[in-house]
Amino acid sequence: RHMWVLPIFFSLVSILGAIIYYIMPLSWPVIIVVALVALLGTWRLSHGITENKKQIAGKIGIGYMLFIGIFMVVWGILMYTLATYSTTASLRSPWEIIPWWFFILYFVATLALIIYISSYHRITFLSVVPLILFFILSFSVALIVYRVGYGYDQFIHQATERAIVEQGEILPKPPYYLGHYALIVILSKLSFMPVELLDRFFLPLFAGIFLPLIIFWSLKKSSPSLLPTLLFLTLPFSSFIVTTPQGLANFFFLITL
């Protein structure tokens, strides 16, 4: 139940914020009202979610601790490699500068996850952590390599969001983008984080953390294994590597299925 709190809160902020922003500017009183109503709605909706009491659980053993130690080393090397090859140059693809051995380590990490998932049947929250880290790694390649930012659309959206933060609104107001703008602007105001920083990191990290949790939660009755969750990465996931209105809409649509 608890894993739904943030997704529900963000979705309510996006919906309520979009409706109100279409009518009036996003001033501080409006933002506070949206946040309070979203919190109340989150509390109400999250308490309506039923939990499966027959969860597969067990103690974390030495085998898991050994695996997580090795996996964290490989994961750290992969993330450090991406950071090392981060650039401001114009690239058609991040794979143009990432060394060939990155793919070998990525394959090793994938294979290790498959073996671990296939042999370890005691599923707890800690056992899902490697999967979350792997999703974050997969979604963050463009985020890390493109130091300035990936794609042209992101710069347009960030400039619009910055104008809304400073002025309260910007005209015209395209309905298709309002949910995205309202969510990022309200979170930026409430957290006092720069809108550019929040916009860049929001969807890759948000999807990387919550997609594996929600996919597993949705499938655990029919398949009490983490393997179907890992197989999600065999599908195209470019929607989640950069924060855009379409990517955000795809995420919220996916978690409602």
Side-chain angles (χ1 to χ4, degrees), residues 151-169:
Y152 176 76
D153 290 348
Q154 189 175 35
F155 296 103
I156 301 298
H157 296 312
Q158 288 178 5
T160 305
E161 292 156 3
R162 185 167 57 251
I164 298 173
V165 168
E166 296 172 354
Q167 306 169 16
E169 66 178 340

Side-chain angles (χ1 to χ4, degrees), residues 56-68:
I56 302 173
K59 296 182 179 179
I60 298 299
I62 298 178
Y64 171 81
M65 299 304 297
L66 179 62
F67 165 80
I68 195 64

